[in-house]
Each structure stands twice: as structure tokens, then as C-alpha cells.
Amino acid sequence: MSNRKVVVITGASSGIGAASARLLSQNGFQVFGGARDLSRAPAIPGVRFGTVDVTDEISVSQFVEWVLSEAGRIDVLVNNAGVSLVGPIENTSTSEAQSVFDTNLFGPLRMIRAALPSMRAARSGIIINMSSVLGFLPAPFMGIYASSKHALEGLSESLDHEIREYNVRVVLIEPTFTNTNLDVNAKHTGSPLGVYASQAMATTKTIEAQIKAAPPPEIVANQILAAINGPYRLRQPAGGQAKLLSRLRRFMPALAVDASLRKTFGFNRRP
């Protein structure tokens, strides 16, 4: 059996997941990528793909069992699979919100529940949860997505307290907008925008412009590699802008943060 560290990455068929799988494989890790549709998984040297739908308990269990049967252990779990949603909170249906949380929060929970027992038994492991700067900052018309990431941050911090005595730690990677299909092709709420149409369209244009100028997914992959190999830190912003936003959130007065966000997203000054 190989002595290389075993890494499992969900949502590995594109974007941040694929970039991370490629980089970690190049750096000597034994990588298992999870994808809902294997036909869309790219051929990455050294990466083995398996089918996993993080919204399905049985699929998650079978995927983790397959990895353990092939590699004997899981050293690093990267919960990367995610979905986005753009639209006014008032116009968001319960089912639309539930779908986002089912992937972004309960998906990692399912993967953690499946992989953690083997990590505890080995008394070694890292669980890396893909958050976002929207996990600590609000974003108009992305409230459900931001809420799912805020929830993931709370789950991660609580979990880290519970499992560190078993030498297993939790890391949050917090990228800003990244030039990937997740951001470019974000799903929109189904209901008409109504009274929010003008502002929502203006804000969406602002977001689209930021995505076009956003860094590539390799920036986030580099942060994941640093989180595995470097000193432990719970929250790890990915990229210069994310690090700046993290500092501003911590040290900038609340009113100034509010005004800055409204300006960034094309809103009028705070009343």
C-alpha cells in the first residue's frame, strides 16, 4: 500500500476541484476525485475518479467505502462540491433554498460523517471545507448562498473543537469570486424579480464584471496545498483580495464595512 497521503476531493470534475486534484497529484498526493457525472471528469494524471452525489446518503457512503477499500485510509477530505443561487431573498422559494443548503451544508456533513470514523481511528486527518468570503461577509441578491457558507463556517468551527483531541483538524478555505463555471453560470431564482428588478440587474452586472476579472481556480488550489503542508489555521482566505476582505471585516468599523459593500454592489448610500 502506498505511503503517499490520500486526498479525497468532491466536485473534482471542474473548476477549483479539478485544479486542486491536478496540483495535489503533481505534488505527490494520492488523489481520489468525486464527480456526479463521470463522463464530465477530465483525465488528470494520477487522479482516480469515482461517482458521488453529495446530496445522496447512499452515494456518499459507497464513494467513501470505495476510497477506503482502494487506499486503506483518508488523510485529507476536501469538501469542494457546491452550488450557487442569485436572486432576492423575498423571491426565493423554500425548495430553491433547500437545494442550496442540501449541497453546500448537508453535502459536507454527509461526507464528514462517512470519512471521519476512519480518520479518528487513525488519529490523523484534515477536513478542508470550501467556504467563501461570503461566509463572513453579506452579499445582496446572494443571501441564500451566503447563508449556506455562514452555516458551513459555524459547523466547521464547532466540529474542530469536537475532533481535535483525535488529531483531526478542520480548515476553512475562503476564496473571493473565482473565474469558474460555478460563478459564471450561477443559477437564478425562478420567480420574477418584481420590485427588485432594477437593483438586482445592476448588482448582477457588477458581480459578472468581478467574476471576469477574478483569479483562476489555481489560486484556491495553491491555498489548499498550503493548508495541508503548512501550519494550522482554521480560516484561510485564498488570494490577495480575499485576505484583504478578511482583515477589513475584522478590523474595519461596521458602518464603514456596510458603506463599502453597498458601493461595491452598486447600491445607494446607506440611509
Side-chain angles (χ1 to χ4, degrees):
M1 189 173 292
S2 173
N3 290 322
R4 294 183 298 160
K5 282 190 175 182
V6 178
V7 181
V8 171
I9 306 174
T10 63
S13 62
S14 64
I16 292 171
S20 300
R22 184 175 294 106
L23 180 65
L24 294 179
S25 177
Q26 290 170 348
N27 279 269
F29 292 89
Q30 186 177 1
V31 181
F32 290 83
R36 282 187 302 174
D37 182 358
L38 284 184
S39 67
R40 297 176 59 189
I44 303 175
V47 178
R48 297 178 63 184
F49 279 91
T51 302
V52 63
D53 178 352
V54 299
T55 68
D56 183 274
E57 202 89 34
I58 294 175
S59 176
V60 166
S61 178
Q62 291 177 341
F63 176 67
V64 171
E65 288 174 3
W66 169 67
V67 174
L68 290 174
S69 70
E70 293 294 313
R73 67 183 192 274
I74 296 173
D75 297 298
V76 183
L77 168 63
V78 182
N79 284 311
N80 169 72
V83 295
S84 189
L85 181 68
V86 178
I89 291 174
E90 183 182 350
N91 294 13
T92 304
S93 69
T94 301
S95 62
E96 287 174 325
Q98 287 174 333
S99 179
V100 172
F101 272 76
D102 202 21
T103 298
N104 292 0
L105 179 65
F106 300 127
L109 176 59
R110 293 182 185 100
M111 290 296 301
I112 289 166
R113 282 171 49 82
L116 183 54
S118 67
M119 290 180 165
R120 280 193 297 99
R123 299 192 69 84
S124 177
I126 303 174
I127 297 170
I128 298 177
N129 290 332
M130 187 59 59
S131 183
S132 165
V133 295
L134 301 189
F136 58 82
L137 281 171
F141 304 110
M142 294 190 72
I144 299 302
Y145 176 80
S147 297
S148 72
K149 294 302 185 180
H150 273 69
L152 183 63
E153 297 229 344
L155 179 147
S156 299
E157 190 164 359
S158 295
L159 178 64
D160 184 69
H161 284 291
E162 296 171 6
I163 63 177
R164 69 176 66 170
E165 68 180 276
Y166 303 104
N167 198 35
V168 184
R169 300 305 300 265
V170 182
V171 172
L172 285 159
I173 302 295
E174 299 170 324
T176 185
F177 291 116
T178 308
N179 203 331
T180 66
N181 287 334
L182 175 66
D183 285 341
V184 172
N185 301 320
K187 185 178 179 182
H188 290 249
T189 51
S191 297
L193 294 174
V195 298
Y196 298 103
S198 177
Q199 184 61 65
M201 291 171 65
T203 299
T204 299
K205 287 183 180 179
T206 299
I207 293 172
E208 288 174 349
Q210 290 186 23
I211 291 171
K212 287 181 181 179
E218 285 73 18
I219 296 293
V220 187
N222 285 328
Q223 192 63 52
I224 290 173
L225 178 61
I228 297 171
N229 289 335
Y232 176 77
R233 285 184 294 117
L234 173 66
R235 288 180 171 82
Q236 301 199 22
Q241 186 179 18
K243 292 175 183 176
L244 175 62
L245 290 171
S246 179
R247 293 191 188 101
L248 291 177
R249 182 56 160 170
R250 290 172 60 194
F251 301 115
M252 196 173 179
L255 288 178
V257 172
D258 182 272
S260 177
L261 283 168
R262 291 184 67 80
K263 180 179 180 181
T264 297
F265 289 107
F267 277 76
N268 295 327
R269 286 180 177 271
R270 184 173 182 268

